[in-house]
Every structure is written in structure tokens, then in C-alpha cells.
Amino acid sequence: MWPMKTALLDILTQTLTGLYRSGVFSTDLLAKGITPQLTHTRDKQFGDLTCNIALLCAKLLQQNPREIAERIVEALPPLPMVKKIEIAGPGFINFYMRDDLSTQIIGQILSQGGEYGKSSYGSLERVHIEYVSANPTGPLHVGHGRGAAYGATLANILKASGFSVHSEYYVNDAGRQMDILAASVWCRYNEYCGESFPFPDNAYQGDYVKDIAKALFAKTGSHFQRKTEDIMAALSSVDKTNKDTYIDALIAYLKTTLGDEHYRELHQTGLNTLQNDIKDDLAQFGVTFDKWFSERSLADEGKIEKSLQDLQKTGYTYEQAGALWFKSTAFGDDKDRVLIRDNGQPTYFASDVAYQLDKYQRGFTKLINVFGADHHGYVPRLRAFLTALGKDTDGSFFAPLVQFAILWRGDEKVSMSTRSGEYVTLRELRNEVGNDATRFFYVMRKHEQHMDFDLTLAKSESNDNPVYYIQYAHARICSVKHQLAEKGLHHNVENGLAHVNLLSLQNEKDLMDSLGRFPELIILGAKNFETHGIPHYLRELASLFHTYYNSQQFLVDETTLRDARLCLVNAIQVVLQNGLSLLGVSAPDSM
RNA sequence: GCGCCCGUAGCUCAGUUGGAUAGAGUGUUGGCCUCCGAAGCCAAAGGUCAGAGGUUCGAAUCCUCUCGGGCGCACCA
């Protein structure tokens, strides 16, 4: 159906131009930005495809919409794919497509197989997609999981739509949070050595910190140990009621007492352990990246300095109180932002400026930054500097926000706090619910929609999860094929394809219609950066199949009808597989 | 206080970018296995699209306000 639809749309567009040139229409609609649109009808009494262009331009042309529709229909060239055209209601133009058109889709799907659904819509445009990018200061939690599932699925959708996609995880391996992690590891390590120095409130509380400390001790012995009284003495002048200054003082003390080399080793141990853990976790979740991009490498390679120079050339920077500021308010941000702190250290924002510019310099023409919704306040300042540097003038920068998955344990909301270490990890969720259900569940909701994730329901009644419904349809198809072989029968595909016209039941027509919509569904997802259309579509397709299965026997005695039905069933299987594959969900033969 | 996201069936969510009678799942009620897998199918019931204005041929969708929920507002990342 899809190639026909675009072809018909082209013809409609040409017809409108023709009507303007020949003076029938007083206005060039296309020049006014009014373009025809073809949509699938919800009700078959209105045909297969419908166009509302006459209604849209009625005011502009100062004509009755039905009259306009008539002019358009009269001007259309002969359309071999169309059975009937009707003008209905206030002025809709309804197209009834030829019946054999929809049956052709079966042959197309069977010949394309795993390629069916893919298109060249993206024209191999180079897209950079960054997602997850969680700080390596602890294991991924269920909030990160949603971003991971969304980003990976979106990347798949973009690839299938003909974009050249490069995916990246930005590793925040520099900055204060990593120092706090290092300090946290060291405190646990020192405890392990037998010291009784109190663990700071705002250090990372999770048990994984203890594991890292233990491993560090096993590897290095008590080399990093410091006596409690020595630490107390060193920190005696620090205000212990202010958590932030206290932990910063502790970090400064560690850097001094351990020396550069050993501090780096401590720092690196925490980083490596957690990053590997995250990498492993995501790989098991079916989420992999083309590149893990190190924040620290930007500073090491002088890219921060370079991009700040570029930014300074724009004139939108200034110095105040010893710090370098970016005048982001000139571009709609709430307040100006610090680039270089008064202590000479670049901020996270400065790194990100360099990172985003680096993406452009690597030749990407479309940048997608998947953010957690709690970072939405960060987007205006990113847009601000891109605007200042003349990037994103063509709307090449996107920042889809993924809302939180709010966890519920029965009626109780699960509180999430990274610092306190009280949160459900992605790994726990995967182990209890399963990868398939987890991935499916995450992307079946619109990414900007808040999502309720009821753990007790997901765990105790996982059979109710819609992913099983779809997988069951696939397993049933496999089972039918198994039965076919057991009965000693053979599926003659050629014969079936030659007689797809036998598939004339309403249910069969609905199925073919649905199969034909798959490619444009993927493009729609790529256009809007939306993943939830695929799960909804697959559920609907599975539902149509289950209805079909219950109402008709596939393995009938009439060879030709059987061959034709099995062709349809095979086509359904292909689309189920292709669709599930986009979601990173398996299509099991049996369950 | 300011900004962003959201409010659709008892619950969880779709709604083809402003179109024709607002749809699914789940839950409730009642049916369907001598038959390719009952993790399935069929049917019934369930709505002032949070509320009030406005824009127009036409609004769940767009603009304003009100109410309610979530999240942000660092020289943290």
C-alpha cells in the first residue's frame, strides 16, 4: 500500500499545481504551504485513503469545499490503482483502492523478508544519537533503563528508515561527582582496614562502593590506609556542619596525602569498575553503543579550550568575580552560565559545549540528545550556545526528554535516591521481569509521558504483559508450520502467491491492510522520534492474527487455499519478527 | 515565585500533527476447546476528553485563564 500512497500523493500535488496554472484555482496552494495529505480511513465505508485538502483550502479559495473537491477529482489523471473515488461529507475525497493491490503486499513481504519495513527515507543522513550517559557513580537504575530502551529502539527505527546512525554514551569521567565517588571508595576502604573514620552523609552510600573498596584492598593491600586521628587532625579546621565543604576538604586531603599517582589509581578503580558494570548491564539488555565517549578526553585533547575560544569570539562571554561566563540569557536562557569557575576549572557545561561542537565537527548533520526529564532545564543553555555559534540554524539539534518511570510496589511509591543507594537497579528489574518484557514495557508508552511501572504487577503477573500476547502469535505461527510438516504436507509458496485473491474474508483484508502499513509506521516514528507506535501496531497485528486463527483453519484440505493462507501467515510472521527486532525483543518459536 | 511536561472509560494508555459516530488493553459480567497451542477468541457494560472561555465549516488536538499532579530553577553532573 505504501508505495501506492506516496505515488497517489504526488499525483494529487501535481494536480493542484495544474489547477492553479490553468486558472481554475485563484491561489497557488503549495506556495501558501498547503499540501495535500492522505490518511488511512478509520472506517472502510469512507474508502481506503482519504484526503481533506478541499476543506483546508476552502477559505483561501473562497469556494465551497465540495465544489473544490469536484474540481480536483475532475482534473485527476486516470489512476489504475484506484477502483473508485467519492466525495463525501463536507468535502473529503475518498479513494477506494483496487482489491488486488492489498494482496500484492504478501508477495512483497515474502520476497523482502527481514528487509521489509525498511526505507530510504533518511537518505543516509548522518545522525548522532547520544543516550543513557549516566554518571559512572553507581549501577543503572530503572530510570536509566527507560532511556536505554528508548534510545536503542529509536536508533533502530532511524536505521530502518535509512539514516546513517552513530550511537554514543557520554562518560562523565571528570568532575566533582567522580571525586566524590573516589572519596566514597576510599572511606569504605579505610573502614575495611580497621579505621573508624565516620562515613560522610553525602558520599555514595550503596553497597557496591564497599565491593569496590574490598577489591582495591585485595589488589593493593593497605597502601591507601590513613589513621583516623591523622584524618581528623587534617580536617580539624573544616566546618563539619556543611556537607559540601566537608567532602570537598576530604577530597583535597586525599589528593594531597595520596599523591597524584595514587589518587588517580583510586579514582580510576571506581570509574573502571562501574563503567564496566554499566557496559555489561546494557549489553545484557541488548543495548550497545558505537562509541563510549570520554568527557576527560575533551580536556586532554584541548577541545574545551578550543571551543571556549570559539565562543569568546562571538562576544557572548564575559568575566565576573574571577569566572568566565556565557551570556546565554541573550538566547532565551533563564540566567547566564559559568564556563570556567573562579578556581580555573571548567564546568560540566564547558565540557558539553566542546562535546556538542565535536559532534558537528565529526560531520553529523542531525544530533539527538536523549535526556532524562529532570535535565530539561539544561536544554535552553545548550540551544543558546549552539545559536551563538551559528549551529542548529537548520534545526539539526534535538533533545527528546524521557520522563521518569514512577515505580510502584503495590500501592506504595518507591522512593528513588541515588545517593542513599535506595533504588531498584535495572539489573534487578531485568532479572525479575525479563529483558523482553522490560524493553517492550519501556517503549510502549510515549517517551514524554509519565509512566507508572508497577513492580508487583510486572513481577507477579508477567503473563498479562502485552509482549507475551505478541510473542504468542509468533509462536502459534511456528506451531502451525510444525503441524504442517507433521501432517506430511508441503507449502507451495508459488502456488499460494498465485492465488492470494482467494483471501477475501474481511479478516484477511484487515490483516493485509495492517501489514501494508508497517513501513510508513516506521517512518512516522523516525520523523517524530517516537517508539510507542511499534508496540501498539504489533499488538493490533497480533490481535488480528489471533482472531483469524480462531475463526479459520489454515491447514485445510484444499491445497490452493491452504497455500494462499500460509503465505499470509508467513507474511505476518515476517512483520512480527521485524517489528519485535526493532524493539530488541525476541520472537520465540515456542513458549 | 518562574519555567518545562502532563490531565482521555474504575485502572494503565492510544488517538495518523485540526477531520467524519473518541479507541485499545486491563478489570467487571456472560459465552467459546472431540477442532493448526485457551498465554487465545466472541459479546455486553463503561466518557461533560480536568474545568471555563476563545480561534473556524469542524477542537481531545491550537490560544488564554483556573484547578490538580510530576519535574526543574548550582561556579553538581
Side-chain angles (χ1 to χ4, degrees), chain A residues 220-322:
Chain A
T220 64
S222 58
H223 194 89
F224 297 83
Q225 184 180 359
R226 291 295 180 275
K227 293 241 175 288
T228 303
E229 50 267 35
D230 293 345
I231 308 163
M232 291 300 195
L235 299 179
S236 60
S237 61
V238 177
D239 174 15
K240 292 186 175 54
T241 58
N242 187 324
K243 292 176 187 175
D244 283 323
T245 55
Y246 183 65
I247 201 156
D248 284 340
L250 178 61
I251 292 165
Y253 164 75
L254 281 176
K255 285 181 176 172
T256 313
T257 184
L258 296 178
D260 277 354
E261 193 186 323
H262 285 128
Y263 182 77
R264 189 179 296 264
E265 187 181 353
L266 173 70
H267 191 275
Q268 202 65 30
T269 300
L271 169 66
N272 288 347
T273 309
L274 288 171
Q275 195 183 325
N276 286 334
D277 177 73
I278 288 170
K279 205 179 272 192
D280 184 57
D281 194 12
L282 288 174
Q284 286 176 30
F285 197 37
V287 177
T288 55
F289 293 86
D290 295 316
K291 181 168 177 153
W292 292 68
F293 194 102
S294 157
E295 178 189 353
R296 209 161 54 197
S297 74
L298 290 166
D300 293 348
E301 294 167 24
K303 285 177 178 165
I304 295 179
E305 206 177 336
K306 172 72 174 63
S307 53
L308 288 187
Q309 282 166 7
D310 289 349
L311 199 52
Q312 280 175 293
K313 281 179 202 157
T314 65
Y316 287 104
T317 58
Y318 61 92
E319 286 186 33
Q320 191 179 70

Side-chain angles (χ1 to χ4, degrees), chain A residues 64-324:
Chain A
N64 180 309
R66 282 196 74 108
E67 219 169 275
I68 297 169
E70 277 169 33
R71 296 289 160 275
I72 295 173
V73 173
E74 282 165 12
L76 283 170
L79 300 167
M81 72 279 253
V82 177
K83 186 168 63 182
K84 185 172 67 165
I85 302 176
E86 253 180 22
I87 298 169
F92 294 104
I93 306 173
N94 296 337
F95 296 90
Y96 297 74
M97 308 303 276
R98 242 174 45 202
D99 292 334
D100 59 325
L101 215 63
S102 53
T103 56
Q104 282 172 16
I105 197 70
I106 296 176
Q108 192 190 330
I109 293 170
L110 294 187
S111 68
Q112 290 190 32
E115 297 297 304
Y116 179 69
K118 294 185 183 174
S119 69
S120 55
Y121 169 76
S123 310
L124 291 178
E125 182 181 353
R126 295 191 61 202
V127 178
H128 185 288
I129 177 168
E130 180 206 332
Y131 62 104
V132 190
S133 296
N135 288 349
T137 53
L140 297 177
H141 56 64
V142 293
H144 299 129
R146 189 176 184 188
Y150 169 75
T153 301
L154 180 58
N156 288 341
I157 288 173
L158 290 167
K159 274 179 209 159
S161 305
F163 288 93
S164 170
V165 180
H166 174 90
S167 60
E168 252 171 42
Y169 186 120
Y170 184 55
V171 184
N172 303 128
D173 52 6
R176 183 164 177 263
Q177 298 302 330
M178 288 307 300
D179 284 327
I180 294 177
L181 176 73
S184 309
V185 170
W186 179 84
C187 286
R188 293 304 189 199
Y189 168 96
N190 222 28
E191 277 174 16
Y192 199 73
C193 293
E195 298 297 334
S196 56
F197 178 71
F199 195 76
D201 290 346
N202 54 349
Y204 290 100
Q205 308 280 337
D207 285 343
Y208 60 89
V209 177
K210 295 180 186 170
D211 296 337
I212 298 169
K214 200 168 169 180
L216 182 65
F217 180 79
K219 190 176 149 203
T220 64
S222 58
H223 194 89
F224 297 83
Q225 184 180 359
R226 291 295 180 275
K227 293 241 175 288
T228 303
E229 50 267 35
D230 293 345
I231 308 163
M232 291 300 195
L235 299 179
S236 60
S237 61
V238 177
D239 174 15
K240 292 186 175 54
T241 58
N242 187 324
K243 292 176 187 175
D244 283 323
T245 55
Y246 183 65
I247 201 156
D248 284 340
L250 178 61
I251 292 165
Y253 164 75
L254 281 176
K255 285 181 176 172
T256 313
T257 184
L258 296 178
D260 277 354
E261 193 186 323
H262 285 128
Y263 182 77
R264 189 179 296 264
E265 187 181 353
L266 173 70
H267 191 275
Q268 202 65 30
T269 300
L271 169 66
N272 288 347
T273 309
L274 288 171
Q275 195 183 325
N276 286 334
D277 177 73
I278 288 170
K279 205 179 272 192
D280 184 57
D281 194 12
L282 288 174
Q284 286 176 30
F285 197 37
V287 177
T288 55
F289 293 86
D290 295 316
K291 181 168 177 153
W292 292 68
F293 194 102
S294 157
E295 178 189 353
R296 209 161 54 197
S297 74
L298 290 166
D300 293 348
E301 294 167 24
K303 285 177 178 165
I304 295 179
E305 206 177 336
K306 172 72 174 63
S307 53
L308 288 187
Q309 282 166 7
D310 289 349
L311 199 52
Q312 280 175 293
K313 281 179 202 157
T314 65
Y316 287 104
T317 58
Y318 61 92
E319 286 186 33
Q320 191 179 70
L324 180 67

